[in-house]
Amino acid sequence: MNLTVVGTGYVGLVTGTCFSEMGNKVTCVDVDEKKIKDLQNGIIPIYEPGLERMVQKNFEKKSLNFTTKLENGLKTAKVVFIAVGTPMGEDGSADLQYVLGVARELGQLMQHPIVVVDKSTVPVGTGDKVKAVIQEELDKRGVQINFDVVSNPEFLKEGAAVQDFMKPDRIVIGAENDTAFDLMKDLYAPFTHNHDRVICMDVRSAEMTKYVANAMLATKISFMNEVANICELVGADVNQVRIGIGSDSRIGYSFIYPGSGYGGSCFPKDVKALQKIAEEKGYQANLISSVETVNNKQKMVIANKVVKRFGSDLTGKTFAVWGLAFKPETDDMREAPAIYIIKDLVQRGAKINAYDPKAMHEAQSFYLKNIKGITYCNSKYETLIDADAMLLLTEWKEFRSPDFEELKTQMHTPIIFDGRNQYSNLKLENKGFEYFQIGKI
């Protein structure tokens, strides 16, 4: 099937590449000329395991193409995916200018019937707006071309996006008629060969499903972090509490690990957007609002522990930071706890030795740009030289089993602040360390 994917960000690039891997002919469109040129030269703008090789292979086979001109992708396209950004506005709502801009251009350029698929995370009712904008442009041209608008939200985990797309837990399709449903089922058939994971529903329910899924996961994280903070106050161990409740099949172990809060491109934005959706309908979503409040406070828990141990004036202190990305297996630093913790410590006079396997460039060029007092190191052990403490902020695999004797040798004082509770079962206090974690004194 001939497909066009508009937007070559995280969702668009993964979507287009994975569809081409299954034999479809895909054209990816983006207005960013540099990004398109880089993609044509095999340079991938994001880090995602397995993606680079897949892009290069399918580009060489000519089943995956990149262009800046939408008309080039529309000539033979049967399905057009809208996968552009929906950044958060100042009021917390999703900004639809790019989605509706693509819809308008589609209405101006389409020459034959197509199915337009909203892949971007969009508020409930966006499908109706996309449909209206396309029809408005067709009316201006005085032409009648049939088209359908479908909602097909993505459920990709950063760091496992390719795997998630190729072997999905579920494929949600929101459409208005059987023709659109059947076409989308055919498109996804290779991904559901062993088990039918397609869930069909109306467009608005599909749009809502994406927001609710992310808000539910964010709620579990904030709930467990709230419990962790209570555990510290009463002298309980949240790590043991987690095992105790996770063994209940109704609860399970997923997303109940205490830590420094969630970040990334989805949870923060989608929780705010869901609040805004409710607010616009006159409903105060107290629980969802609390999820965000708890998370914002949680990002500073490790910084607060550092201040409690060393004092509010950190002049002359050096801290090794392991991990900058909001989670492992990605270079994404959007809303990462590391940003807030590092800025707070630097403001108090501290110096930072930082290392992350993939996110160093993101930190230097954007998220921590022009912040003085940060040294970016080539390895985790290099950060430790004369450090007063080490802060673990991202649970990368290479941080799981470090040489703790090396830590004691290199550090000025053997102190660890574990923002992900990675070492909670190692009894580091018995190995000569001062060890601080989430949810246990």
Side-chain angles (χ1 to χ4, degrees):
M1 198 178 297
N2 291 331
L3 313 175
T4 294
V5 179
V6 185
T8 58
Y10 188 85
V11 174
L13 186 58
V14 172
T15 298
T17 303
C18 290
F19 274 131
S20 70
E21 178 74 6
M22 287 301 193
N24 298 286
K25 188 169 184 180
V26 181
T27 299
C28 290
V29 183
D30 202 294
V31 296
D32 189 330
E33 292 184 4
K34 182 181 183 304
K35 183 186 286 187
I36 291 298
K37 186 174 181 180
D38 284 345
L39 286 165
Q40 291 171 340
N41 291 323
I43 301 172
I44 310 302
I46 58 174
Y47 172 73
E48 182 63 39
L51 182 61
E52 183 175 19
R53 180 193 63 80
M54 194 178 286
V55 168
Q56 293 170 348
K57 179 181 71 172
N58 286 286
F59 181 73
E60 290 172 2
K61 290 166 56 180
K62 300 188 184 304
S63 59
L64 180 62
N65 299 290
F66 302 100
T67 180
T68 57
K69 298 184 181 300
L70 180 56
E71 55 264 37
N72 293 344
L74 284 180
K75 292 176 182 177
T76 59
K78 202 168 186 177
V79 181
V80 178
F81 287 87
I82 300 178
V84 295
T86 52
M88 183 170 60
E90 292 183 3
D91 62 352
S93 63
D95 187 344
L96 293 178
Q97 62 172 311
Y98 303 113
V99 170
L100 297 181
V102 173
R104 191 166 301 283
E105 195 171 358
L106 287 173
Q108 294 167 352
L109 296 173
M110 59 188 287
Q111 299 295 329
H112 61 271
I114 58 174
V115 172
V116 180
V117 182
D118 279 330
K119 198 70 174 173
S120 303
T121 301
V122 294
V124 177
T126 300
D128 294 335
K129 294 180 180 179
V130 168
K131 185 176 182 179
V133 167
I134 294 174
Q135 189 60 56
E136 179 185 338
E137 293 301 321
L138 291 175
D139 291 344
K140 288 180 182 178
R141 293 166 56 192
V143 298
Q144 184 175 346
I145 303 174
N146 294 329
F147 68 96
D148 288 295
V149 175
V150 170
S151 175
N152 175 218
E154 54 84 16
F155 299 97
L156 307 177
K157 299 187 295 291
E158 291 193 47
V162 172
Q163 180 180 346
D164 286 346
F165 200 101
M166 300 301 285
K167 297 180 179 180
D169 292 327
R170 79 284 207 194
I171 298 165
V172 173
I173 299 172
E176 295 179 333
N177 57 68
D178 290 340
T179 301
F181 278 128
D182 290 343
L183 180 64
M184 294 300 291
K185 286 179 181 179
D186 289 345
L187 179 58
Y188 276 107
F191 302 92
T192 61
H193 184 69
N194 295 324
H195 183 70
D196 185 5
R197 301 180 186 277
V198 176
I199 304 171
C200 295
M201 58 184 71
D202 63 89
V203 174
R204 286 181 173 239
S205 295
E207 292 169 338
M208 188 66 169
T209 297
K210 169 63 177 181
Y211 280 113
V212 174
N214 279 347
M216 182 67 215
L217 296 175
T219 299
K220 292 184 73 174
I221 294 171
S222 281
F223 175 80
M224 205 61 201
N225 283 332
E226 188 94 287
V227 169
N229 296 334
I230 298 172
C231 283
E232 283 197 34
L233 295 173
V234 301
D237 182 349
V238 72
N239 303 295
Q240 296 180 28
V241 173
R242 176 183 62 81
I243 295 171
I245 67 171
S247 59
D248 186 328
S249 60
R250 297 170 300 174
I251 298 173
Y253 291 104
S254 297
F255 288 84
I256 62 168
Y257 288 82
S260 297
Y262 59 77
S265 62
C266 294
F267 288 7
K269 177 170 67 73
D270 292 353
V271 168
K272 284 179 178 291
L274 190 54
Q275 290 179 60
K276 187 63 178 178
I277 290 170
E279 181 183 311
E280 289 175 348
K281 297 299 181 181
Y283 181 79
Q284 187 173 353
N286 294 325
L287 176 59
I288 297 170
S289 299
S290 296
V291 169
E292 180 189 11
T293 300
V294 170
N295 190 63
N296 290 339
K297 290 181 179 179
Q298 196 67 20
K299 289 181 179 180
M300 297 306 297
V301 167
I302 285 294
N304 293 338
K305 287 178 179 289
V306 170
V307 170
K308 186 176 181 180
R309 170 60 178 80
F310 289 97
S312 59
D313 184 358
L314 299 177
T315 303
K317 300 296 182 184
T318 299
F319 297 100
V321 171
W322 287 12
L324 299 169
F326 87 95
K327 63 179 286 187
E329 301 301 330
T330 181
D331 59 354
D332 193 345
M333 282 189 65
R334 283 174 286 188
E335 294 296 319
I339 299 171
Y340 300 91
I341 294 168
I342 289 173
K343 286 183 176 180
D344 183 70
L345 299 184
V346 169
Q347 189 174 11
R348 295 177 183 277
K351 292 183 179 179
I352 303 295
N353 294 338
Y355 170 74
D356 186 284
K358 294 296 178 182
M360 302 276 272
H361 176 72
E362 292 292 307
Q364 290 175 283
S365 62
F366 188 74
Y367 293 100
L368 296 173
K369 185 179 180 181
N370 298 327
I371 295 182
K372 298 178 180 179
I374 304 176
T375 300
Y376 296 94
C377 301
N378 295 316
S379 73
K380 60 180 182 286
Y381 292 118
E382 186 181 332
T383 67
L384 301 172
I385 299 174
D386 293 329
D388 293 282
M390 184 271 276
L391 282 61
L392 177 67
L393 301 182
T394 313
E395 62 274 34
W396 286 93
K397 289 180 180 178
E398 71 171 86
F399 299 156
R400 290 182 182 177
S401 299
D403 184 340
F404 287 105
E405 291 303 315
E406 180 74 11
L407 266 70
K408 285 198 288 188
T409 299
Q410 295 289 353
M411 296 172 69
H412 180 66
T413 49
I415 302 174
I416 294 176
F417 293 90
D418 188 349
R420 296 300 176 183
N421 284 16
Q422 286 291 287
Y423 310 136
S424 60
N425 62 341
L426 298 182
K427 298 181 179 180
L428 292 178
E429 299 90 341
N430 298 335
K431 299 178 181 180
F433 286 91
E434 281 187 65
Y435 178 63
F436 299 87
Q437 59 178 299
I438 305 290
K440 184 181 178 182
I441 297 177

